[in-house]
Amino acid sequence: MVQHETLDRIYSALADATRRDILTRLGEGPASIGELAEPYGMTLTGMKKHVQVLEDAGLVSTEKVGRSRQCRLGEERLDDAMAWISFYQRLWERRLDGLEAYFTLQKGTDS
């Protein structure tokens, strides 16, 4: 199972709508901090803070290119989050299947 600290950072980063928008934008390709900040009318410093949270969670990587910092999607951290979600999805599906079977049996004995 994935370490809880990693998941805490990932879900904390994803809890903010601006950071989710940044990930969506980076899904289209790399962008500089300035390009990410422009649609929000945000300062470069403000956008750097958002990008830093995403980078700390492993969702984004950055690279200094000349005078700007290029951002791109991270490699694998969303895989960690999806593994955690999938585990609990399977767990709840089994429980609900068991509950459905129980009610089906109860319905059959009531007839």
Side-chain angles (χ1 to χ4, degrees):
M1 196 42 98
V2 179
Q3 292 179 344
H4 291 289
E5 288 179 20
T6 300
L7 288 173
D8 290 347
R9 282 193 301 271
I10 291 169
Y11 287 117
S12 179
L14 293 173
D16 183 84
T18 301
R19 291 192 286 266
R20 290 190 306 272
D21 287 348
I22 292 167
L23 292 175
T24 299
R25 166 54 187 88
L26 292 176
E28 299 169 8
S32 69
I33 299 280
E35 291 169 334
L36 293 173
E38 188 177 334
Y40 299 98
M42 189 181 294
T43 65
L44 292 178
T45 302
M47 183 53 69
K48 282 181 191 177
K49 289 179 182 180
H50 281 293
V51 169
Q52 185 63 54
V53 170
L54 292 167
E55 194 169 22
D56 290 345
L59 298 172
V60 167
S61 63
T62 63
E63 177 185 8
K64 184 130 173 115
V65 178
R67 291 180 46 168
S68 69
R69 184 157 290 281
Q70 283 292 113
C71 306
R72 63 185 79 246
L73 287 178
E75 292 296 316
E76 60 190 64
R77 290 297 186 199
L78 284 177
D79 291 342
D80 292 342
M82 285 304 301
W84 185 84
I85 289 170
S86 294
F87 172 81
Y88 284 98
Q89 179 182 12
R90 288 188 306 274
L91 178 76
W92 279 103
E93 284 174 350
R94 285 193 305 269
R95 288 181 176 184
L96 291 173
D97 288 346
L99 188 59
E100 180 181 23
Y102 171 78
F103 284 124
T104 300
L105 284 173
Q106 289 299 316
K107 189 176 184 180
T109 60
D110 290 341
S111 299

